[in-house]
Structure formats: C-alpha cells, structure tokens
Amino acid sequence: MSNQKRIEDYGINIGELPKGQLNKITDVKGVTVGHCTIDTYENKTGVTVILPVEGNIYTNKLIAASHILNGYGKSTGLMQIDEIGTLESIITLTNTLNVGLVYDAITEYAVEKCTEENIYLSTFNPLICECNDSYLNDIQKRVVGKEHVYKAIENATVDFEEGDIGAGKGMSCHQLKGGIGSASRIVTLDGVPYTIGVLVLSNHGLLKDLTIEGKNIGKKLSSQINVDENIDKGSIISIIATDIPLSSRQLRRICKRAVVGLSKVGSYMGHGSGEIIVGFSTGNVLKHGQNLDILNMRILSEERIDNVFRAVAECEEEAILNSMITANKVIGIKGRSREALKDYFKKGLCQI
C-alpha cells in the first residue's frame, strides 16, 4: 500500500467536490495501474499501463473519446477512438522513441488474451501515449521492451505509486521533477455516487509559471533554482476514467475540461508541447460477439453534466500537483537534474 505524501498532506486542498477513497483513478471500479521503471546511469525511463477493466478489454470494449489541446505528440490509436468511440486496448504510457516497441508488446499481449478465449485477433487498435524524457534519459537507446510492458501489467494494482516511477521516471514538470500523478472525485447523480478519476503523465511547463492555489510560487522558486531554458517543449498525457454512463460525444466534452485544471497550475501550452486527453467510461460495456442490430445504452442527461466538468478540472489540477510532490530529485544523463518540489516545501519556500 502506498504511503507517499501527496499534495493534500501539505495542506493544499484542491476544489470542493468529495474525493474517492484513494483519491486516484483506480477509485473507478475495475481500473488498475501498473509500472515498470528503468533506472540506470544512462536511462531514466519506463512504462506505465492503465487496465480499464477486469479481464480482456478487447472482448469488453468501453465507450471512449479523446481531445487534443496542442498536437505535438506521437500517440497511436486516437484516430479510431475518435471515429468509432470505443476503447479496445489497455492504455500504455512511455517515452517518445519507445512507442513502436511498446505497440508491438501490447499487440502481442492482446493476441495472447484473445487466444485464451478462442478468439482470432485480426484487427486491433493499441493505445500508446508518450512524452519526451530525453532531458534526463538517453532516449535513443529505446530500452523499454516487451519484458517491461509485461512486468507493468503484472504489477497493476489499485493503490499504485506516483511520481518518478514507470513512464514518469525521466519526466519534468515546470522544470522540476514530474511524472505520474492521479486524483478522483465523487459526483452524485439520481442519488447514486459515481466516480471520476484522472491519471497524468506530466512533462510540461516553465518554472516561472508554476501556480498552486492561485499563488505563483514558481516565480519565487526561480530565484533558488537554476533552469537552462525558457521554452516549453514538454507535454502532458491525461487519462480520464469514470463509471458514469456517457456517450463518446459527452466524453469528448468532458475531456476538454482538463484544460481548466492544466491552466490553473500555470501551463501555457507552448508550440512544442503535446497536451493529449483520453477519456473512457465503464458505464456501458460492449461485449464481443453480440448478435444484435440495436444495443441498449444509458447516457447522462446533458443538464446534469456541470459537476462532471468541475470534477475533471479539479482532478486534473490535483493530479499534476501529485505528480510533482511525490517525485524525488533525479540526476540523469550529462549530469542534468530535476529538483523535487517536496524538498522546497520542506524548506518552507512554498508556503501558500
């Protein structure tokens, strides 16, 4: 069980909606997250997987959508999600130059799972998302392979670690250490509690813009920490999960609200950044092989969607801060380093 100190443990309380039990994306029932980290002298990288359902996602497809805020990214699988509105793959996060190798591993994994169910897999849409960790990692070595992907799947759990772990090992956020972060909120609809969860892979932003609870602490930290450039070349991947029954169109509307949380932390989404959001709902499951012309689906009334928008914005903001506050200082290739935000909280330099 994770015992990491998160942003709320430093007295920072984001938003007003109630949080889930773990305050993580895995508060959505059936969702698990796993990591495999590569931490050597030359390589600070890894892979993180989000398993959206218990069992085989290919035979239990979910309604999904994506939204691109700035498209400087190399993800795979988004085109079919936007066209058909379904998710049929586990979601995998890694570094930019490892997308192809991870794609191969996920495809092989899907073939194995379907073979176990006597299903011949002849078409498949793997969802791989990436950020560029080359500031700390020798990215050209492309060290993330099948064994690391399978290990991450094996490690998938509900109470997962955050920070500089898995795909987040070499990532930077506001020129400090970034990586994996998560948060969740509860929304009551027709008297029933539903969960919205977000997981981010943060690798974006400038130190001078870092904002926490409306206070520009990055400007203060800039006098303490030397940073080597003033161009935002980073990215962020945001994965939204919920058990609210939604259409793909509604999910796309919800994905767009991640920008609220992103901007509140101080992102200006530069030319060279990739802000990619993927959302899925477990509220409707499309079983493989249904011999029906018409499917029965439940969706949320559009008049009740505002609190879901708020939940995503709150989760996005808190998940980014969790990705930073749980991360440790990392020294990577060429002696480059990224400082840990928590160290400056401990020094009293981030008082809000």
Side-chain angles (χ1 to χ4, degrees), residues 35-217:
H35 307 292
C36 183
T37 307
I38 299 171
D39 186 0
T40 67
Y41 176 76
E42 293 181 319
N43 293 112
K44 308 291 181 183
T45 193
V47 60
T48 294
V49 297
I50 300 101
L51 279 63
V53 296
E54 298 174 1
N56 186 355
I57 178 66
Y58 186 81
T59 55
N60 296 276
K61 294 179 176 62
L62 302 177
I63 304 301
S66 74
H67 180 66
I68 311 302
L69 293 171
N70 194 67
Y72 202 89
K74 290 82 183 171
S75 298
T76 71
L78 300 180
M79 181 171 61
Q80 184 171 311
I81 285 178
D82 288 342
E83 179 68 23
I84 301 177
T86 58
L87 176 68
E88 64 184 23
S89 167
I90 66 175
I91 302 169
T92 313
L93 312 178
T94 191
N95 74 58
T96 305
L97 296 191
N98 257 113
V99 169
L101 294 170
V102 172
Y103 185 106
D104 288 345
I106 291 301
T107 300
E108 191 165 337
Y109 175 77
V111 169
E112 291 174 5
K113 297 297 288 185
C114 286
T115 300
E116 291 173 5
E117 299 179 28
N118 296 315
I119 295 169
Y120 184 79
L121 187 69
S122 61
T123 181
F124 180 55
N125 185 44
L127 181 56
I128 321 295
C129 298
E130 54 75 33
C131 291
N132 194 309
D133 59 12
S134 60
Y135 184 80
L136 296 173
N137 173 51
D138 188 350
I139 198 170
Q140 290 189 36
K141 291 193 178 297
R142 304 177 71 215
V143 293
V144 181
K146 173 184 173 181
E147 68 274 21
H148 304 107
V149 175
Y150 275 56
K151 189 66 176 177
I153 294 170
E154 180 185 330
N155 290 340
T157 186
V158 171
D159 197 8
F160 58 93
E161 295 284 313
E162 299 167 280
D164 58 312
I165 190 168
K169 183 62 188 180
M171 302 300 173
S172 306
C173 191
H174 286 279
Q175 297 174 299
L176 299 172
K177 191 67 194 72
I180 300 292
S182 194
S184 72
R185 295 293 186 271
I186 304 297
V187 172
T188 299
L189 302 163
D190 291 332
V192 178
Y194 290 89
T195 304
I196 299 95
V198 169
L199 181 143
V200 300
L201 177 63
S202 67
N203 191 52
H204 67 284
L206 299 176
L207 179 59
K208 67 179 183 179
D209 297 323
L210 177 61
T211 302
I212 300 179
E213 287 195 323
K215 302 292 180 61
N216 180 204
I217 70 163

